[in-house]
Structure formats: structure tokens, C-alpha cells
Amino acid sequence: IEWYLIENSEKQTDAVYLNAGAGYWLFEKKNGVSYITYSLYMDVGGHIPKFLDNQLNYNGILNVFRDVLNYSNNISISKARWM
């Protein structure tokens, strides 16, 4: 599953927007073990200090995985097969 940042034509003047962004999920099964990889690239174009950018990205990915786990705990096995 791949995703790319799309251009937003209705930008607000008091907000910082990403210059570029992309990511993907990779699902693999090796020797009976399932592996999930998530890769993310975001470029804020120098508007945010790098240390803050890194911290936001780190917290963001933790929230993504937390949300995936919470969602997976709240769906039934039969429903998950159809998603």
C-alpha cells in the first residue's frame, strides 16, 4: 500500500504545510511469520527545526501503530478478512 502527498489548493496563511510526503506499508510472510513494515518520508521545507520535525515524526508513527492495534482489537476476525 503506497501513499503520496497531494497538493492542497486551499492553504491557510497561518499554517505550515509539507513540501513533500510519501509512505508505504509492506506486508510479508516469511517462514510462517508475518512482518509489517511502514516507511514514511516527509519534508516540511525548513519551516520547522529538524529536532522538532524528528520528534513530530517519531510521535506520529507511534500514534499510527497505536491506532492500528486499537482498531485491530475492536474488529471481529470475519470482518477483518474482508477489509
Side-chain angles (χ1 to χ4, degrees), residues 1-4 22-27 36-39 83:
I1 301 171
E2 297 178 356
W3 67 267
Y4 301 93
Y24 68 89
W25 290 90
L26 176 64
F27 301 89
I36 301 173
T37 302
Y38 181 64
S39 182
M83 301 182 94

Side-chain angles (χ1 to χ4, degrees), residues 66-76:
R66 187 177 301 119
D67 290 345
V68 167
L69 289 173
N70 286 338
Y71 182 78
S72 66
N73 288 332
N74 292 324
I75 61 173
S76 67

Side-chain angles (χ1 to χ4, degrees), residues 7-65:
E7 188 65 32
N8 181 357
S9 62
E10 298 179 17
K11 292 184 177 179
Q12 299 176 7
T13 57
D14 61 344
V16 174
Y17 293 90
L18 296 173
N19 287 343
Y24 68 89
W25 290 90
L26 176 64
F27 301 89
E28 300 175 288
K29 194 162 197 168
K30 297 178 184 176
N31 300 322
V33 178
S34 297
Y35 296 90
I36 301 173
T37 302
Y38 181 64
S39 182
L40 174 67
Y41 168 75
M42 295 211 188
D43 176 16
V44 294
H47 299 291
I48 296 177
K50 193 64 177 167
F51 78 92
L52 183 55
D53 183 33
N54 289 337
Q55 186 65 41
L56 293 170
N57 284 331
Y58 177 78
N59 289 336
I61 194 63
L62 290 179
N63 289 335
V64 166
F65 283 111

